[in-house]
Amino acid sequence: MNKMNHILPRLALLPVVAALLAASCNKNTGEGANVALKRQFDAWRAIHYPAAVEKDGIYIIEDIPGNGLEWDDDLPVTFLTYTMRSLDGTVTFNTDEMWARQLGEWNQTYYYGPQVTPTGKDASYAGVDILLEGMREGGTRTAIIPSWMLTYSRYDTLEGYLAVSTDNPATIYTITLLGQTENVSASEFRELKDYAKQAWNVSDTLSTAAVFFKSFSEFEDEPEEMPNDTTVYINYTGRRVYDGQVFDTTIADTAKYYHIYNPSKKYAPVPVTWAEKPTEIKLDGSSVVGGFAHGLYAMHPGEKASFCFGFDLGYGSSGSGKLIPGYAALQFDVELVPEP
């Protein structure tokens, strides 16, 4: 689940074909802001993509049908992978592993799985919603979306779109539709429950939060409770649930194995300040995301455990850096160790 994160970021992509992107030359023609620009675009398209099929203002280049459910514009969230190219073919944004490998840009640490993408008015560009219309799960469609269709506004006619300038250049999108949902949290929770059952034979969450917890320690007697305001030390490894890639760890060999080793970082157990409430727990003096805090709070001295949780207890819809995409479910493997 590359912070992951809307498919339609408000990006000012590099200009590619000056005649097509210099909208300023059309502002004083007495026509709609994009009418002259459309004439130039149509001339370019006739040369480069003469077989493209026009569909409500966008132009479909290739359509590989899927055999799953048809895309529903009433569902607010879509799962997909996508690639964006400028009109000269330069890839400007990519979430597809196959494309990354072909371009020689594949990175083991990056996330190439399904992107969680809000769709509909005010959430995605009109042209992208038009591209998705009629697609079925498993299908892939490539289309040229002109700049005037890369707007969050919706109009009843093409003239309405042509009357308004945007800052976005015409872009070629390749989208593979993977699914949809009404509620991302609920969908992710179901997936996590299946994951915890298969990986750890755990079906229930902690009483304090929607965190699936598995202890790998056995205690002869009732485990000792952690006193408040105590400083303890932990080794931990954080990974993305979807693909298992580690994004952070206190163990040098683990960092090297997953290609995230940083020679300037000290790999050693880190201090945790215990507290009366999980939300008040501090890791090396700093607050932690809710899922991590609740997982730690369930642990006892000397214990080793793993726990996982959804994006709403992690880094939310925006993610964190290149290693944690938006809507990412996370797992932590933690061991309480003696003070180093």
Side-chain angles (χ1 to χ4, degrees):
M1 310 188 126
N2 179 319
K3 203 144 193 319
M4 19 272 91
N5 286 60
H6 294 243
I7 182 177
L8 313 170
R10 292 179 171 89
L11 297 177
L13 302 177
L14 295 175
V16 292
V17 182
L20 295 176
L21 305 183
S24 60
C25 67
N26 307 309
K27 290 182 178 178
N28 298 314
T29 63
E31 302 174 314
N34 296 298
V35 173
L37 187 63
K38 184 178 186 304
R39 287 198 291 267
Q40 296 169 337
F41 171 83
D42 287 342
W44 174 89
R45 181 178 53 79
I47 296 172
H48 295 280
Y49 293 99
V53 178
E54 194 272 339
K55 172 180 165 59
D56 297 333
I58 71 170
Y59 299 85
I60 298 175
I61 299 171
E62 183 180 33
D63 193 3
I64 302 173
N67 54 15
L69 296 175
E70 186 172 345
W71 185 75
D72 184 348
D73 61 0
D74 287 331
L75 292 175
V77 178
T78 301
F79 300 101
L80 44 77
T81 60
Y82 67 100
T83 300
M84 297 163 60
R85 288 176 287 154
S86 57
L87 297 187
D88 67 356
T90 301
V91 175
T92 55
F93 202 80
N94 174 56
T95 69
D96 189 283
E97 182 175 351
M98 181 186 70
W99 269 93
R101 288 183 181 277
Q102 290 179 352
L103 294 168
E105 297 176 351
W106 180 79
N107 186 313
Q108 176 178 324
T109 66
Y110 292 177
Y111 175 73
Y112 296 101
Q115 308 297 305
V116 180
T117 307
T119 46
K121 187 177 180 181
D122 298 326
S124 62
Y125 291 148
V128 172
D129 278 5
I130 293 170
L131 186 157
L132 288 166
E133 288 175 358
M135 288 189 69
R136 291 185 176 275
E137 292 176 14
T140 300
R141 182 175 286 175
T142 300
I144 311 168
I145 304 182
S147 59
W148 49 88
M149 301 302 296
L150 292 172
T151 173
Y152 291 87
S153 301
R154 301 294 192 268
Y155 301 97
D156 294 331
T157 64
L158 178 60
E159 287 72 23
Y161 288 101
L162 290 173
V164 180
S165 295
T166 74
D167 294 328
N168 301 301
T171 301
I172 300 173
Y173 280 83
T174 297
I175 291 178
T176 298
L177 178 61
L178 302 174
Q180 287 185 275
T181 185
E182 179 74 34
N183 187 309
V184 181
S185 295
S187 296
E188 190 172 72
F189 182 83
R190 289 193 295 269
E191 293 177 359
L192 281 175
K193 188 170 184 176
D194 290 342
Y195 173 79
K197 180 65 176 178
Q198 294 177 16
W200 307 323
N201 197 29
V202 169
S203 299
D204 297 325
T205 59
L206 296 175
S207 60
T208 58
V211 175
F212 292 95
F213 181 94
K214 172 64 176 179
S215 175
F216 295 98
S217 298
E218 294 183 2
F219 298 96
E220 293 183 2
D221 302 311
E222 189 70 21
E224 179 183 344
E225 294 297 326
M226 199 75 70
N228 293 335
D229 299 322
T230 297
T231 297
V232 298
Y233 288 81
I234 64 169
N235 272 322
Y236 70 87
T237 295
R239 67 183 76 239
R240 300 189 298 249
V241 169
Y242 182 81
D243 59 3
Q245 171 62 37
V246 170
F247 59 82
D248 190 20
T249 184
T250 58
I251 304 169
D253 286 346
T254 300
K256 291 175 181 177
Y257 182 83
Y258 286 96
H259 302 281
I260 61 166
Y261 181 77
N262 181 353
S264 64
K265 177 179 176 178
K266 180 181 178 181
Y267 290 91
V270 291
V272 172
T273 305
W274 223 256
E276 185 176 355
K277 299 177 181 178
T279 52
E280 297 173 351
I281 288 178
K282 303 289 185 182
L283 177 69
D284 203 14
S286 299
S287 300
V288 296
V289 295
F292 190 47
H294 283 275
L296 282 178
Y297 194 71
M299 297 186 69
H300 303 86
E303 190 168 22
K304 183 177 182 179
S306 293
F307 45 88
C308 63
F309 49 88
F311 75 95
D312 41 4
L313 288 174
Y315 291 90
S317 61
S318 58
S320 178
K322 292 183 177 181
L323 299 185
I324 306 177
Y327 299 97
L330 305 178
Q331 173 181 323
F332 282 90
D333 309 314
V334 182
E335 183 175 13
L336 276 78
V337 298
E339 180 177 351

